[in-house]
Amino acid sequence: MTATGVNSWEKDGSRVILAGENFNVEIEAFSDKIINIYASRGEEKSFSQAVVIKPKPVSLKVKEGEECLSVTTGTVKLKVNKENFSFTLSAEPFLLEGKELVVEENIKSCSLRIREDEHFYGLGERTGFLDKRGKRYTMWNADCYRSYVEGADLMYQSYPFYIGVSPTGSYGLYFDNTFKSFFDLGKTHPDMVTFGAEKGPLNFFLIYGPTIKEVVEGYTEITGRMELPPLWALGYQQSRYSYYPQERVLEVAREFRKRDIPCDVIYLDIHYMDSFKVFTFDQERFPDPKGMIKELKEMGFKVVTIVDPGVKVEGDYWVFKEGLAKNYFVTDEDGLVFTGKVWPGRTAFPDFSREEVRAWWAELHREFLEIGIAGIWNDMNEPTLVDTSLPEPPISTLPPNLVHKGDSRPMRHEEFHNLYALNMALATRKALLKFKPQERPFILTRSGFSGIQRYAAIWTGDNRSYWEHLKMSIPMLCNIGLSGEPFCGADIGGFAEDTTEELLIRWTQVGVFYPFCRNHTNLDTIDQEPWAFGKKAEDICREFIKLRYTLLPYIYNLFYRAWQKGTPVFRPLVFEYEKDENCHNISDEFLLGDSLLVAPVCEPGQAKRMVYLPVGEWIDWWSGELFKGGKYYVADAPLERIPLYVKAGAILPLTEPQNYVGEKPWEVKFLLFPGGVRGEYVYYEDDGASLDYQKGIYNLYRLTYERSGAMIKFTWAPIYKGFAGGQKVFKLVFKGGQGSEKVWVNGQEVEVSLAGKDREIFLKA
Ligand code: GLC
């Protein structure tokens, strides 16, 4: 609790500045629901690169009472206790009562009271279960290869953002500080959240919901949203450390086609390079990368190559020579280039804080992109140092005092560290936009910070082929999605150590629902391609990978929603059912969008599992059986199945599976599942590849239905038509088990043809 109080205050448009004895607090409304709070000793306010929100004009009202000053936006009210500078946040109709917020006197941290019934989500990539109450985390990007366990404090990425959820409503808090910071969510004091940092400003945003959905919308208004990915990047992807030589890469690709297993992408890990030197090819292993890429393209494969930030220190290596001559590498305070060990031995690190360096880095991609490499995978970009000449190599990062020259002002590494990967992604994006201006960029990154969703997909780094890591991937991806990054996945099969037949099957069954769907494994592990364990595993993996391709129109539409509102693709149940107590810490089920519920098997030998279905009705995907929600069931889960449910009455756009995206045009069918009285679906379509959608070249259709007695009335209409190349005729399929006899579309009765138990009609675009 602070001793000093508010001495005076002044209002300036949508800002109120409160002056205290030891510090000032500025309250600025960015919208009706988004409030920025900045405590300082008079230093000018600025935001980190994560913040892209533009303030909307908000009329702030300030009322002064005897003890309190109340600042109101219309939706949110902040009551400031003049005695001690504590804030109480409230909003109608839900009262976030008890949300007293105290700025500590040293203005390095802030505390908020936790409600008894409060749960915490967000914080990005974190191990452990879904609800983060009682945990403490440090925000400092680090290679967590050895500490990838439940209690891990540091992870590859940092998102200083959490969501507090209680029955009275949800709010979010984003702490805009890029130094090493912490969040203590009731670990040290069970009834207090404390967040802060040793250095950098105490500058944060409060985001009022009142639903989780609206909090995520607000947070992604602050830190930005992802653009639409190229459709091929939603296909199944295959990787290993490393496929080489080039003949092996082609062989893997041919296996996929021969075995009728869909796949869109093959990755080249570090062994494609000459002595791990970035932007080179090993001439012996890959004598003709261009020819290889062409051959892969003919089979429908894209190639994504790894590019690490470390540049090998070697006198006549052109990238090193250029970077050195132009003074593009990170230096110490005396201006000497810093070097540390990574895969190639001694390396120097580009100073991505500068536009000039990012432009240079982008240019270095020219040849790669010109020979047809489709996307870039940025790794080791925490950045990580690892001396592989030692038996148990210590893993570390750059020292805090190194200098990044910056575009507007220099920063020490301690301030830029968490932004290093974000800026590397920015440079990579520049490359893709420069050399493939007609194509949507695809970047995969291991490290990142809030805002990384604007540039890259992320994967959760070096997990292990452990059942517990399969299980952990679910709450981890749920919380990453809630932290504004919809395009995320974990290495299917597990990265480190040897997978097993059963684990690969179970992991593939979950992995096909990951927004980013890639199987990847470590050096020296046994093979884990879908066919690596024989026919049984191969058949099951094939079926599930095909299921992903069937679901692609639905999945792509979820990405459209992510682009529009930041809505996660992979969602915890609590996202849709936040009032349902049972959903608050479900870590072993998830929703893909709002209509599919997946209950994977995460333990060996399990052929049944408990499934919680939230309120409403749910249809078993495999049997079509209808289940009442709000209950637990014991579901069958033989090796070839995982429990999968569709929300009753949902409309899902699906298509026939194909070998790869774009092999044939989609023939999208809308499946209407039984059970709903009324429903709606908005369908988005575009060319799936170019940036034209940003100029409005896309289509949006709305389908609605209403059932009464034996009649079902449909409406089908374009909401927006900007794309001439869209599908011309769609099928609408009434899944079996629906009683309606008469179908009306846009006010006209239509003939319903019989196709098995399902009935279908045609809808013209
Ligand atoms: C890191 C990455 C892993 C990659 C390996 C070699 O461990 O996380 O995915 O395979 O480096 O590049």
Side-chain angles (χ1 to χ4, degrees):
M1 196 56 84
T2 61
T4 54
V6 180
N7 287 345
S8 62
W9 61 274
E10 123 196 24
K11 182 171 172 277
D12 169 18
S14 50
R15 293 191 309 162
V16 182
I17 297 138
L18 314 171
E21 226 150 84
N22 292 334
F23 58 83
N24 300 336
V25 172
E26 184 180 317
I27 302 172
E28 184 176 357
F30 273 67
S31 80
D32 232 28
K33 291 177 168 188
I34 301 177
I35 312 280
N36 171 240
I37 297 181
Y38 172 55
S40 77
R41 297 209 160 88
E43 299 86 3
E44 205 173 317
K45 180 166 80 172
S46 64
F47 295 106
S48 83
Q49 221 184 329
V51 174
V52 292
I53 190 173
K54 300 272 171 291
K56 291 192 188 117
V58 180
S59 74
L60 266 196
K61 284 206 188 84
V62 186
K63 237 170 62 196
E64 185 163 12
E66 288 246 318
E67 287 165 10
C68 289
L69 200 76
S70 70
V71 182
T72 320
T73 66
T75 306
V76 174
K77 187 194 259 177
L78 272 182
K79 248 171 43 191
V80 187
N81 184 328
K82 294 198 288 185
E83 281 268 294
N84 63 10
F85 244 121
S86 67
F87 298 78
T88 313
L89 177 72
S90 64
E92 300 297 342
F94 299 89
L95 189 69
L96 293 177
E97 60 194 13
K99 274 283 149 261
E100 196 189 53
L101 195 146
V102 182
V103 177
E104 303 296 336
E105 186 129 20
N106 61 5
I107 55 167
K108 292 288 168 224
S109 63
C110 214
S111 303
L112 286 87
R113 194 162 296 284
I114 301 179
R115 289 178 55 109
E116 226 171 84
D117 48 9
E118 192 162 350
H119 304 272
F120 295 108
Y121 308 104
L123 295 141
E125 182 188 58
R126 294 288 162 193
T127 55
F129 295 99
L130 187 68
D131 182 354
K132 300 304 185 198
R133 185 160 177 172
K135 304 286 177 199
R136 190 183 199 277
Y137 298 110
T138 303
M139 305 291 152
W140 183 252
N141 296 348
D143 185 329
C144 51
Y145 183 77
R146 296 215 183 87
S147 54
Y148 211 112
V149 291
E150 192 183 322
D153 181 27
L154 304 180
M155 296 295 289
Y156 301 102
Q157 305 161 24
S158 302
Y159 301 72
F161 164 69
Y162 75 84
I163 307 174
V165 177
S166 55
T168 53
S170 301
Y171 74 100
L173 192 149
Y174 167 63
F175 180 31
D176 188 39
N177 184 317
T178 68
F179 287 84
K180 188 183 276 182
S181 65
F182 72 92
F183 278 81
D184 189 320
L185 302 156
K187 181 171 189 197
T188 309
H189 304 289
D191 58 349
M192 290 295 236
V193 168
T194 306
F195 66 93
E198 269 308 302
K199 295 195 173 166
L202 190 63
N203 190 1
F204 59 95
F205 288 85
L206 287 174
I207 308 148
Y208 174 65
T211 61
I212 302 178
K213 209 173 276 179
E214 288 160 290
V215 173
V216 177
E217 199 177 323
Y219 170 69
T220 53
E221 222 177 300
I222 298 170
T223 60
R225 295 183 180 140
M226 73 169 289
E227 296 181 346
L228 282 174
L231 250 176
W232 59 260
L234 302 186
Y236 175 82
Q237 322 197 9
Q238 187 64 46
S239 184
R240 98 157 280 136
Y241 175 14
S242 305
Y243 286 127
Y244 69 86
Q246 94 184 23
E247 198 36 52
R248 172 71 185 139
V249 180
L250 289 162
E251 187 182 277
V252 172
R254 284 186 210 115
E255 283 301 311
F256 273 98
R257 295 298 175 253
K258 194 176 94 196
R259 295 171 186 272
D260 182 33
I261 301 172
C263 182
D264 265 272
V265 191
I266 294 205
Y267 282 70
L268 298 186
D269 205 331
I270 55 175
H271 288 92
Y272 77 84
M273 292 181 261
D274 166 19
S275 316
F276 305 139
K277 286 184 277 191
V278 282
F279 305 110
T280 67
F281 268 97
D282 180 299
Q283 299 297 318
E284 264 169 44
R285 293 178 181 149
F286 290 86
D288 180 19
K290 192 174 171 183
M292 176 193 73
I293 291 167
K294 185 166 167 275
E295 214 174 316
L296 288 168
K297 192 174 171 196
E298 282 158 10
M299 287 189 269
F301 284 92
K302 303 280 190 293
V303 175
V304 172
T305 50
I306 197 166
V307 175
D308 291 347
V311 174
K312 186 173 173 62
V313 174
E314 192 181 274
D316 56 359
Y317 165 38
W318 55 285
V319 178
F320 177 68
K321 266 203 321 213
E322 246 180 69
L324 194 65
K326 293 184 168 155
N327 209 359
Y328 284 166
F329 294 122
V330 180
T331 68
D332 65 15
E333 287 146 315
D334 300 323
L336 292 174
V337 171
F338 170 84
T339 62
K341 286 196 173 164
V342 203
W343 311 132
R346 205 148 276 293
T347 60
F349 292 85
D351 181 5
F352 291 117
S353 71
R354 294 148 66 190
E355 176 53 30
E356 210 189 334
V357 178
R358 291 193 295 268
W360 168 65
W361 192 256
E363 182 57 36
L364 294 172
H365 291 74
R366 176 186 290 275
E367 199 191 317
F368 273 30
L369 299 178
E370 282 177 356
I371 63 168
I373 286 165
I376 301 291
W377 167 21
N378 287 159
D379 186 30
M380 306 298 276
N381 48 352
E382 293 69 32
T384 289
L385 303 178
V386 51
D387 185 349
T388 48
S389 65
L390 301 171
E392 274 283 301
I395 299 173
S396 62
T397 189
L398 308 192
N401 59 339
L402 296 187
V403 180
H404 296 273
K405 295 206 177 64
D407 286 327
S408 51
R409 64 175 176 88
M411 276 167 278
R412 284 157 59 99
H413 187 68
E414 61 188 348
E415 183 177 2
F416 192 69
H417 176 82
N418 282 337
L419 295 176
Y420 192 83
L422 188 105
N423 280 277
M424 184 178 182
L426 195 56
T428 308
R429 178 180 156 83
K430 215 181 192 16
L432 289 158
L433 290 174
K434 181 170 180 182
F435 299 114
K436 291 174 177 287
Q438 305 307 324
E439 293 175 29
R440 299 179 194 173
F442 173 72
I443 302 168
L444 177 67
T445 178
R446 189 171 75 173
S447 186
F449 189 72
S450 289
I452 190 68
Q453 68 271 11
R454 307 196 297 259
Y455 314 126
I458 65 110
W459 97 104
T460 59
D462 298 344
N463 59 6
R464 288 166 190 260
S465 298
Y466 295 166
W467 287 93
E468 61 189 272
H469 280 203
L470 162 60
K471 194 166 186 169
M472 197 153 71
S473 72
I474 299 163
M476 190 182 278
L477 295 175
C478 283
N479 277 317
I480 292 172
L482 293 176
S483 308
E485 172 58 284
F487 203 5
C488 52
D491 283 344
I492 296 173
F495 174 74
E497 306 192 29
D498 289 339
T499 199
T500 63
E501 177 186 16
E502 190 183 0
L503 182 58
L504 180 69
I505 293 173
R506 291 309 199 185
W507 211 318
T508 305
Q509 289 171 333
V510 183
V512 297
F513 298 102
Y514 290 164
F516 172 67
C517 173
R518 183 184 73 155
N519 171 319
H520 179 51
T521 186
N522 202 358
L523 194 67
D524 296 333
T525 57
I526 58 169
D527 285 346
Q528 65 179 43
E529 293 82 17
W531 55 83
F533 292 94
K535 187 168 174 343
K536 181 173 70 184
E538 182 182 334
D539 288 348
I540 300 172
C541 291
R542 178 189 302 103
E543 187 189 348
F544 275 80
I545 295 171
K546 285 197 172 182
L547 174 61
R548 181 178 180 92
Y549 281 74
T550 302
L551 289 170
L552 272 187
Y554 174 69
I555 297 176
Y556 188 52
N557 265 264
L558 294 174
F559 277 88
Y560 161 72
R561 286 146 178 76
W563 170 48
Q564 291 293 298
K565 303 241 176 190
T567 325
V569 172
F570 190 96
R571 305 174 186 169
L573 272 57
V574 68
F575 184 80
E576 298 289 340
Y577 303 91
E578 64 183 278
K579 297 271 177 248
D580 184 345
E581 271 290 320
N582 292 325
C583 293
H584 285 148
N585 206 5
I586 292 186
S587 297
D588 63 351
E589 297 177 27
F590 60 91
L591 294 163
L592 188 71
D594 60 0
S595 301
L596 279 180
L597 186 148
V598 188
V601 173
C602 301
E603 283 180 32
Q606 239 185 16
K608 287 187 187 291
R609 62 155 287 176
M610 177 115 90
V611 175
Y612 179 71
L613 297 175
V615 285
E617 288 181 324
W618 296 86
I619 295 157
D620 183 311
W621 176 268
W622 311 107
S623 69
E625 197 183 335
L626 193 80
F627 290 91
K628 283 244 169 308
K631 278 183 168 176
Y632 292 87
Y633 292 91
V634 175
D636 282 334
L639 193 58
E640 65 281 5
R641 291 275 177 264
I642 51 168
L644 174 62
Y645 302 86
V646 192
K647 205 165 136 182
I651 300 173
L652 298 190
L654 306 179
T655 188
E656 285 301 307
Q658 18 185 301
N659 283 314
Y660 56 93
V661 163
E663 185 187 20
K664 302 170 262 198
W666 276 353
E667 286 183 22
V668 172
K669 292 181 193 171
F670 296 104
L671 266 69
L672 171 64
F673 286 82
V677 175
R678 63 179 61 83
E680 181 188 87
Y681 187 77
V682 171
Y683 179 69
Y684 173 87
E685 70 170 2
D686 64 14
D687 68 22
S690 80
L691 294 162
D692 283 356
Y693 73 98
Q694 295 181 353
K695 294 183 246 150
I697 304 187
Y698 60 82
N699 298 328
L700 277 176
Y701 297 96
R702 179 183 282 119
L703 280 94
T704 68
Y705 72 85
E706 217 178 312
R707 230 184 264 274
S708 60
M711 175 133 78
I712 179 160
K713 281 188 185 155
F714 243 97
T715 66
W716 157 257
I719 308 176
Y720 174 82
K721 285 199 96 163
F723 175 49
Q727 193 170 321
K728 301 294 176 249
V729 180
F730 295 85
K731 258 188 203 162
L732 172 63
V733 182
F734 298 86
K735 289 298 289 171
Q738 316 196 29
S740 311
E741 291 305 322
K742 286 207 167 90
V743 177
W744 291 68
V745 174
N746 292 348
Q748 287 218 325
E749 189 171 350
V750 294
E751 288 277 317
V752 172
S753 70
L754 287 168
K757 273 203 292 177
D758 301 341
R759 295 174 299 170
E760 19 179 273
I761 59 172
F762 291 95
L763 302 172
K764 285 213 179 77

